[in-house]
Amino acid sequence: MTPVTFYIVFVLMVHECFGVCYFTNNQTPVKYNFVVGILSPSTGLSPLQEFVEKNIQSNDTDVIDCYGSITIVNVNVRDNLTIQENGWTNIKDGLNTTLKLQANDKVETGVSVVIGPYYTNLAMMLEQENIPYVITQDKGFDYVDETRIEDHVAWSNLVEVSPPAEQLNEAIVDLFLAWKNKTAVVVLPDDPKINDVCQDLIRRMIANQISPISYAFQMNSEEDIRNQTVEVLRNAQLLRQEIILICSPRDDQHKLIESVLIEAKSFGNIMENEKNIFIFHDSSFFLEPFDEGPMYRQGLFEANCQLLAYRNKEIRPGSKYLTSTYEATATDTAHLIQKSQKLYLQKTSGTDEHVDVFNRSKLIDALRESTLPNGKTGSVKFDSEGKRIDYAFHLYNHGGSSLFKKIGEWRPKGNTTHDRLVLIPFNDTLEKDTRGIFPDIVKVVFVMEEPFIMNKPGNVGYEGFTIDLLEELSKLLSFKYELYPSPNNAYGSEINGRWNGMIDEVRAGNATLGMGAISITSEREEVVDFSLGVLSTGVNMLISKPKEHSSIFQFMRPFTLELWMGILGATVTVCIVYLMLDTGNPERKFTLKEVLWFSIGTVLMRGTDFSPRPSSQRILTAGFTFFVLITVSTYTANMAAFLTKVNLDQPVETLIELAERTNIQVGTINNSATMRFLQSSNDTTYKTIWKRVIESNGLVTNSSQGRLRSGEGNFAFIYDYLINSYFEKNYCKTKMSGQPIRLQEHGIVMKPGNPAKTSINIAILQLKEKGFITRLRKRWWEDKRQCADDALSKSVLQVEFGVKHMSGVLIVLLFGLAFSVSFFLFKKFYVLSKQQKSSKKESNGIDTEDKNGETKSMLGDEETKMFGKDETNIFGNEGTKTVFENEETKPVFGSEIPIDMENYTNVYDKV
């Protein structure tokens, strides 16, 4: 390859690598630095920053190749720019300071574009620096500067993403003119810094011979707003004013629209009168009270009056609503910057200028030429001055059985009201007829799951909570249905980019509705629509029911083995001390036998036949008695509590405890929402549990398998709270454990844009209000219970004592009886045997004498020296009278025995 050919190939390869990027005179590739300044009201994250960062990064290869990573800096209006205190004088220094603090390497480059609400002083300074200024709102965060309503200067660097607020005022005036209404009650905030939009609306109304009866609200507190609202509603009724206009330009802060709706709902019959009209004006188009959820909660589907508001984009039930008043404009701004970066590269293509110098003028032109056919603020397009054009305001009636019904559309083009505003005829019959929104047969896909959908006995059909609910909905909404099971009995999850189960059936149009125990999750809501929640649920554990442990020696359990050994050791020690203290006492009473009997009697609190006399022994007795008193009292109290408490295995109570107890296996259903939750969680506890699921081979195909494994023991099945609750009530080997986490709801699945969604939601709300859902839940959970309630069973066990509770004590008693009887019989036969031998010896007169002259005992040829060295047979010697011969000795079984140890010997003592 020649040098020339190599150079050409190298240039082509570099050009391919960098797309349409160009080169300096030295043929080096260019990477533009792109710095975005986002305005914020004060120190901290800007309310726009989240949405800009999420959407500004381009996927276009040319943009990626030709621009460095986008740098975002947070420009604090109050602290960095100090517009309120210093006007324009500190803006330039404030921007440079912000760059030094947040992007020091971009100071020389400067800010490429600034995004945020409108400030006149900032617009002026940015125009001097030729920096594009993309306007997201027509007024600043804290109203510290002129708004776009007051300032109509055509700045050369502005791009106004937010539709002009004065045009919304014009649309409302056109609505009055189309209706030929000449008067209305107008509610607005009593603050010049806030109500400039409202004042402009009033001026336009007056200019068109419409008489406003205005009420300026003090926006001090919710209670003040509520009281003022009641007064306005009362006056409107007295004056017979049918139209009430609420102008709330910062409704996200003041909640004026919500307050009016709440009070109007409970104020007389003002919302029941079909002639009454409420018009709500929010120039940010946020309209949070008219999101579908709040509308259902406030019961606006019951309203007969008209609740009108313009929106900058068409909506439908199930639409993804805004989460912030800044979301729509910030998101559209980020997408415009993406497109403008690409368009900028096209504009500089083929020019002779130095392409390594970023041209902000061309970026301004690129921003104004960029379009978004379907942005969050509607169709986005600009004129040569950066103002929005070709947009539309859509007039909706919020409330009634349809919730959202478009009744008009306004466009800025046209010289007359009829040119600009087109009203759609209102047809009551079509709105009230819900049968037209359903096909002839509604196909319903389901997942077999107890107790939601189950086979009837004999497999002659289906029954369950969901079947009863579906039957009631079909009656309310007048439709017929056909059931079929979901493929693989799956609810639906995304695997390798493809959905399966119930979700896929609804998406593909094979089913109109999907019903069962399917949880509403954000991932599923991205591809299908859900109704309002039917039942609230969560996730917890199903484990085997703890088994009761009983022991014949339960009476030993109140004290530990160590404590029993301690008590025994203390008693033995006291015995030894008694023996030591009584050593050398001429009247010694504490022999080994007496010491043991004394200690046992004291421990058992039965008393003894005598009391110690020496002071030392009495002190020891007092201490020992106190020790016994406390020990016995403690034992009695613990024994009472122990015997009235069921002795069960220690179950797992929380997921945290489950993560710590490594001896228990864990499982859930494969590809379920619960599995996805555990798998994707960043929480340490859930990560540990997911690892245990894998190690335990715990992924099962359905809840029945999970229930069976739980019943076998040593397995925790993590799944839906309601399903686990049913299992606990009907399968007595299992028990639900732990408070529900990841609270969510079960809903009805439908295809996005399904016109039946509103009707289904309203029907669900009506069923809830009537208590039908509550009764249905009681029927399928409580009334179908097969197992005894744990609370009731435990209370029964606490008062019923059986043989098993006292068997250990009875065994000890029997052992004592057996030992005492055995010992008695042994002694009896032993003594009788000796007596017989003695009598035989006397009768025979035989007395053998050994070679040393010692007398042999009749017992044998061994010496009989049982006590001391003196020759003594078992019946005594010459100086000893036996218990049988001594007249002073009381019978063997008497209550007294001889105590003269020198002259008398107790036979039983010798034995």
Side-chain angles (χ1 to χ4, degrees):
M1 182 182 292
T2 64
V4 175
T5 305
F6 176 80
Y7 176 77
I8 294 173
V9 171
F10 174 76
V11 170
L12 290 174
M13 290 177 62
V14 173
H15 184 274
E16 181 66 23
C17 179
F18 286 92
V20 294
C21 289
Y22 306 102
F23 301 89
T24 62
N25 293 334
N26 295 326
Q27 298 297 325
T28 57
V30 172
K31 281 268 190 179
Y32 296 124
N33 289 320
F34 201 86
V35 181
V36 178
I38 302 179
L39 301 183
S40 64
S42 58
T43 303
L45 185 67
S46 167
L48 293 85
Q49 188 165 340
E50 173 188 356
F51 308 109
V52 173
E53 288 182 341
K54 184 178 179 181
N55 297 282
I56 199 170
Q57 295 293 342
S58 176
N59 294 324
D60 188 279
T61 55
D62 291 336
V63 173
I64 294 172
D65 290 342
C66 299
Y67 292 88
S69 59
I70 296 177
T71 302
I72 295 178
V73 295
N74 194 314
V75 182
N76 189 324
V77 173
R78 179 182 299 170
D79 301 328
N80 296 136
L81 305 185
T82 63
I83 294 177
Q84 186 172 7
E85 296 84 4
N86 302 312
W88 59 269
T89 57
N90 193 52
I91 291 177
K92 187 174 181 179
D93 291 339
L95 286 174
N96 289 332
T97 301
T98 300
L99 281 172
K100 287 180 181 178
L101 293 174
Q102 300 182 39
N104 189 41
D105 58 335
K106 306 294 191 301
V107 173
E108 294 184 2
T109 303
V111 178
S112 306
V113 62
V114 172
I115 302 172
Y118 181 76
Y119 292 91
T120 297
N121 288 283
L122 180 59
M124 177 179 63
M125 289 304 300
L126 292 178
E127 185 184 52
Q128 287 185 357
E129 299 297 321
N130 199 30
I131 298 175
Y133 186 11
V134 182
I135 304 300
T136 57
Q137 277 78 27
D138 58 0
K139 60 183 73 63
F141 295 111
D142 299 316
Y143 312 102
V144 298
D145 205 347
E146 287 186 337
T147 68
R148 199 60 177 145
I149 292 287
E150 301 166 321
D151 178 14
H152 294 90
V153 175
W155 303 104
S156 62
N157 62 327
L158 288 193
V159 179
E160 301 184 49
V161 174
S162 176
E166 61 266 25
Q167 294 297 311
L168 179 59
N169 292 341
E170 188 69 24
I172 291 176
V173 170
D174 280 344
L175 184 60
F176 278 93
L177 295 176
W179 286 343
K180 298 181 180 179
N181 288 105
K182 294 299 181 180
T183 183
V185 173
V186 180
V187 176
L188 69 157
D190 185 20
D191 188 340
K193 294 180 179 179
I194 300 175
N195 64 18
D196 55 337
V197 176
C198 303
Q199 294 293 346
D200 179 76
L201 173 60
I202 291 175
R203 287 193 295 268
R204 291 173 183 271
M205 293 175 67
I206 295 174
N208 286 276
Q209 289 78 49
I210 303 170
S211 301
I213 305 173
S214 60
Y215 292 85
F217 277 19
Q218 297 289 332
M219 313 301 289
N220 298 324
S221 65
E222 292 183 7
E223 184 177 358
D224 288 343
I225 295 174
R226 187 163 52 249
N227 294 334
Q228 294 171 93
T229 301
V230 171
E231 181 182 355
V232 168
L233 295 175
R234 184 182 297 112
N235 292 341
Q237 282 189 328
L238 293 174
L239 297 173
R240 297 185 178 180
Q241 292 293 320
E242 296 177 348
I243 301 179
I244 301 177
L245 172 59
I246 295 90
C247 182
S248 182
R250 271 290 189 247
D251 194 67
D252 61 318
Q253 297 178 10
H254 302 127
K255 309 294 183 184
L256 182 56
I257 294 177
E258 182 180 4
S259 298
V260 172
L261 287 171
I262 292 173
E263 295 304 322
K265 186 78 168 57
S266 58
F267 188 87
N269 61 348
I270 195 167
M271 294 190 74
E272 298 176 4
N273 191 339
E274 296 180 355
K275 295 182 179 180
N276 291 332
I277 300 173
F278 288 85
I279 302 175
F280 300 94
H281 179 297
D282 181 0
S283 56
S284 70
F285 298 97
F286 185 35
L287 296 170
E288 183 179 16
F290 292 123
D291 284 358
E292 195 168 351
M295 291 178 71
Y296 288 127
R297 289 194 297 270
Q298 295 171 13
L300 297 184
F301 58 88
E302 298 175 341
N304 293 322
C305 66
Q306 296 189 57
L307 306 174
L308 306 183
Y310 278 108
R311 293 182 175 269
N312 56 9
K313 186 177 181 179
E314 288 188 295
I315 60 169
R316 57 175 174 78
S319 297
K320 306 302 180 186
Y321 297 101
L322 303 177
T323 59
S324 164
T325 186
Y326 301 99
E327 179 182 355
T329 52
T331 301
D332 283 353
T333 298
H335 290 151
L336 284 170
I337 290 176
Q338 277 189 28
K339 291 199 169 189
S340 67
Q341 288 179 315
K342 175 75 172 179
L343 192 56
Y344 177 89
L345 297 177
Q346 295 173 359
K347 281 181 169 293
T348 56
S349 175
T351 61
D352 295 330
E353 62 182 271
H354 293 292
V355 294
D356 55 339
V357 178
F358 191 75
N359 190 323
R360 294 193 182 92
S361 295
K362 289 189 179 296
L363 179 61
I364 294 172
D365 294 338
L367 282 166
R368 290 176 174 176
E369 293 175 18
S370 299
T371 61
L372 296 175
N374 190 29
K376 279 188 172 289
T377 59
S379 175
V380 181
K381 191 176 181 180
F382 306 97
D383 61 12
S384 59
E385 295 181 352
K387 293 183 179 295
R388 281 281 292 269
I389 58 173
D390 295 342
Y391 56 88
F393 295 144
H394 307 275
L395 182 62
Y396 278 87
N397 180 25
H398 304 79
S401 59
S402 62
L403 280 189
F404 303 98
K405 185 170 183 65
K406 184 175 178 178
I407 64 172
E409 184 173 296
W410 187 92
R411 294 184 179 273
K413 292 182 178 180
N415 298 322
T416 65
T417 296
H418 295 290
D419 293 336
R420 295 187 294 268
L421 177 63
V422 177
L423 293 176
I424 301 171
F426 186 75
N427 191 329
D428 284 333
T429 58
L430 289 178
E431 183 182 59
K432 293 180 180 178
D433 185 9
T434 60
R435 288 175 293 180
I437 63 178
F438 291 106
D440 294 335
I441 300 294
V442 175
K443 289 189 176 182
V444 180
V445 60
F446 68 87
V447 171
M448 195 76 73
E449 189 86 77
E450 298 178 280
F452 293 90
I453 299 180
M454 303 174 288
N455 287 316
K456 285 184 176 180
N459 293 328
V460 293
Y462 300 108
E463 64 178 359
F465 176 91
T466 300
I467 299 299
D468 290 351
L469 174 63
L470 178 58
E471 184 66 26
E472 193 67 20
L473 288 175
S474 69
K475 293 177 182 178
L476 287 175
L477 301 177
S478 303
F479 67 85
K480 296 180 180 180
Y481 62 88
E482 180 182 286
L483 292 165
Y484 76 94
S486 172
N488 299 320
N489 203 46
Y491 289 107
S493 59
E494 188 178 15
I495 302 176
N496 298 325
R498 180 177 176 80
W499 286 86
N500 61 14
M502 181 187 293
I503 298 295
D504 185 56
E505 290 295 299
V506 173
R507 289 185 70 198
N510 299 330
T512 307
L513 302 176
M515 297 184 68
I518 183 166
S519 302
I520 303 173
T521 65
S522 57
E523 294 85 0
R524 289 169 175 166
E525 281 194 302
E526 291 179 357
V527 295
V528 294
D529 275 355
F530 279 92
S531 69
L532 291 178
V534 177
L535 289 174
S536 296
T537 185
V539 173
N540 68 347
M541 296 176 289
L542 187 73
I543 59 176
S544 62
K545 185 168 290 185
K547 297 178 180 178
E548 181 180 358
H549 289 289
S550 60
S551 171
I552 60 175
F553 296 105
Q554 284 192 104
F555 66 92
M556 300 288 289
R557 290 183 178 273
F559 287 169
T560 63
L561 178 61
E562 292 80 6
L563 182 55
W564 281 118
M565 296 303 295
I567 294 172
L568 179 61
T571 304
V572 171
T573 302
V574 168
C575 292
I576 295 173
V577 174
Y578 269 124
L579 290 172
M580 293 173 59
L581 294 177
D582 210 33
T583 301
N585 185 2
E587 300 181 358
R588 182 176 183 179
K589 296 182 179 181
F590 285 105
T591 62
L592 178 60
K593 183 193 72 171
E594 297 297 335
V595 165
L596 290 174
W597 185 245
F598 181 82
S599 300
I600 293 173
T602 304
V603 169
L604 297 178
M605 302 186 72
R606 64 165 296 278
T608 56
D609 296 331
F610 59 89
S611 299
R613 292 183 180 181
S615 299
S616 59
Q617 294 180 8
R618 291 185 175 185
I619 293 173
L620 177 60
T621 302
F624 185 50
T625 304
F626 178 77
F627 165 77
V628 169
L629 174 65
I630 299 301
T631 302
V632 171
S633 299
T634 304
Y635 176 84
T636 303
N638 285 353
M639 189 64 178
F642 181 84
L643 289 179
T644 55
K645 179 182 177 183
V646 181
N647 185 27
L648 302 175
D649 285 331
Q650 186 63 34
V652 181
E653 297 292 346
T654 65
L655 289 176
I656 296 176
E657 185 180 347
L658 177 63
E660 295 172 350
R661 293 178 62 172
T662 57
N663 61 317
I664 298 177
Q665 295 182 337
V666 187
T668 188
I669 293 182
N670 191 23
N671 293 323
S672 64
T674 304
M675 190 204 84
R676 300 294 183 193
F677 165 69
L678 295 174
Q679 188 179 33
S680 61
S681 177
N682 293 321
D683 187 272
T684 304
T685 298
Y686 303 141
K687 282 183 176 180
T688 303
I689 291 176
W690 172 244
K691 183 179 178 181
R692 295 263 300 284
V693 170
I694 301 301
E695 293 174 350
S696 306
N697 193 23
L699 293 177
V700 297
T701 57
N702 55 57
S703 59
S704 296
Q705 288 186 7
R707 184 250 305 164
L708 290 173
R709 288 190 64 176
S710 295
E712 292 171 358
N714 200 41
F715 184 81
F717 179 56
I718 303 176
Y719 200 51
D720 187 277
Y721 164 78
L722 291 175
I723 297 172
N724 286 343
S725 175
Y726 178 83
F727 286 158
E728 179 187 43
K729 292 175 171 61
N730 292 273
Y731 297 93
C732 304
K733 291 183 178 181
T734 59
K735 170 185 170 58
M736 187 172 59
S737 181
Q739 292 297 320
I741 62 168
R742 195 173 178 254
L743 299 180
Q744 52 195 5
E745 291 184 306
H746 293 161
I748 299 174
V749 186
M750 61 197 78
K751 200 171 182 179
N754 190 323
K757 178 177 180 179
T758 299
S759 299
I760 292 174
N761 283 340
I762 293 174
I764 290 173
L765 285 174
Q766 291 172 342
L767 292 177
K768 285 184 175 181
E769 291 172 355
K770 294 176 182 178
F772 177 80
I773 301 295
T774 303
R775 292 193 300 272
L776 208 58
R777 178 169 178 177
K778 181 178 181 295
R779 175 186 177 188
W780 288 103
W781 270 264
E782 296 301 330
D783 295 349
K784 298 290 184 180
R785 175 189 288 274
Q786 300 294 321
C787 305
D789 190 349
D790 282 347
L792 295 176
S793 61
K794 287 180 181 179
S795 65
V796 171
L797 288 173
Q798 287 177 345
V799 296
E800 289 186 355
F801 286 88
V803 174
K804 64 179 181 180
H805 295 95
M806 300 296 294
S807 58
V809 179
L810 294 174
I811 289 175
V812 172
L813 174 60
L814 292 175
F815 177 78
L817 289 173
F819 183 79
S820 63
V821 171
S822 300
F823 191 70
F824 170 77
L825 293 176
F826 170 75
K827 289 170 59 178
K828 184 70 174 175
F829 287 113
Y830 184 78
V831 171
L832 290 176
S833 174
K834 295 297 183 183
Q835 187 177 13
Q836 289 176 359
K837 290 183 178 181
S838 177
S839 299
K840 183 178 180 180
K841 177 181 176 182
E842 290 178 357
S843 61
N844 294 333
I846 301 173
D847 186 10
T848 306
E849 191 173 299
D850 63 3
K851 61 182 179 179
N852 294 324
E854 293 179 342
T855 302
K856 299 285 185 173
S857 171
M858 62 178 290
L859 295 177
D861 55 2
E862 295 293 332
E863 281 188 329
T864 304
K865 297 180 179 181
M866 300 188 64
F867 300 97
K869 296 181 179 180
D870 295 333
E871 295 179 359
T872 307
N873 61 33
I874 193 168
F875 298 101
N877 52 31
E878 295 179 359
T880 303
K881 295 182 179 180
T882 68
V883 292
F884 301 101
E885 298 171 348
N886 193 341
E887 296 179 356
E888 297 182 4
T889 303
K890 293 188 176 180
V892 174
F893 303 105
S895 58
E896 296 183 6
I897 58 176
I899 60 175
D900 188 352
M901 301 301 296
E902 296 181 356
N903 298 317
Y904 299 97
T905 301
N906 188 352
V907 172
Y908 295 104
D909 288 347
K910 294 180 180 181
V911 178

